[in-house]
Amino acid sequence: QGHLVESGGGSVQAGGSLRLACVVSGYTSSRMCMGWFRQAPGKEREGVAILYTYTNITLWANSVKGRFTVSQDNAKNTIYLQMHSLEPEDTAMYYCAAGSQTTLASLQIHGVWGQGTQVTVSS
């Protein structure tokens, strides 16, 4: 079924950078999609990006496009979310999810989730 563990969250000032990591274990599908989501207090969960690991193509939410990047280290079974030019609006709990689903909406429902890592951006 798979197990995901996120790390790398923390507190930064606006304009700063953070890199989140998502270690995936026990997931054997060759067509795995990885999603990054975030949820701020009082707000709905938002899909940030989806990575098609078998093509290395990433689709982005407009809110983060051009500021965030995704990379994968297959040797470490790890997906990274590199975040630059962080804004207070990026403050949220960030989650990764894995599955065979090819859209953020379906991955949100049917994917395997990590426990989340908190990102706080101060102005």
Side-chain angles (χ1 to χ4, degrees), residues 27-119:
Y27 197 93
T28 58
S29 173
S30 60
R31 295 181 68 82
M32 183 177 69
C33 297
M34 290 293 302
W36 283 98
F37 298 82
R38 65 187 183 183
Q39 188 165 20
K43 294 187 177 181
E44 292 187 356
R45 187 169 293 176
E46 175 190 18
V48 173
I50 184 167
L51 166 68
Y52 303 95
T53 62
Y54 44 95
T55 62
N56 206 32
I57 292 174
T58 305
L59 301 181
W60 294 99
N62 288 333
S63 57
V64 304
K65 192 179 296 183
R67 298 188 296 121
F68 292 8
T69 60
V70 167
S71 61
Q72 53 181 325
D73 185 335
N74 294 327
K76 296 181 179 179
N77 294 324
T78 302
I79 309 294
Y80 299 99
L81 180 67
Q82 179 70 57
M83 306 184 293
H84 296 293
S85 302
L86 284 163
E87 304 166 351
E89 293 75 20
D90 296 316
T91 295
M93 184 71 79
Y94 282 71
Y95 301 89
C96 60
S100 57
Q101 297 77 22
T102 56
T103 67
L104 284 168
S106 57
L107 193 60
Q108 182 170 348
I109 296 172
H110 301 292
V112 178
W113 288 76
Q115 83 290 349
T117 185
Q118 177 68 39
V119 172

